[in-house]
Amino acid sequence: MNRSQEFRKCIECFLCQNVCHVNRDHEENKKSFAGPRYLMRQAELSMHPLDTLDRRDMAQDENGLGFCNITKCCTEVCPEHIKITDNALIPMKERVADKKYDPVVWLGNALFRRRK
């Protein structure tokens, strides 16, 4: 709970969005990458104990979480000193990797997939 409460301090100045080199330096990424502010919000919601929606596929496929290469420039400019990269983006990337690339999870899903 403490980690998700940290994200509530955001004043939505969007400095993290402006400084993010994924969007700033690569015009073609703007349509594919939602940016740190939006991804931080998704991470906040996914950490909430009452939230049941699985946002991992949405973060990866629709919002371009994979584009983030963790340079921490968003964290450095945050006036509220929110650790965007360490407390939101990296944990979200880890959850996505666990689901998509963990061989044990993949095998379990393949073996025990329910037929409709």
Side-chain angles (χ1 to χ4, degrees), residues 20-22 33 36 39 64-76 83-94 97:
C20 180
H21 66 90
V22 175
F33 184 62
L39 290 169
L65 179 63
F67 283 106
C68 176
N69 58 7
I70 310 172
T71 58
K72 297 188 179 185
C73 48
C74 54
T75 299
E76 291 173 6
K83 295 181 176 124
I84 299 167
T85 307
D86 294 335
N87 292 342
L89 301 180
I90 291 175
M92 188 70 122
K93 285 171 108 30
E94 288 171 348

Side-chain angles (χ1 to χ4, degrees), residues 101-109:
Y101 305 111
D102 185 348
V104 175
V105 172
W106 179 85
L107 183 62
N109 287 338

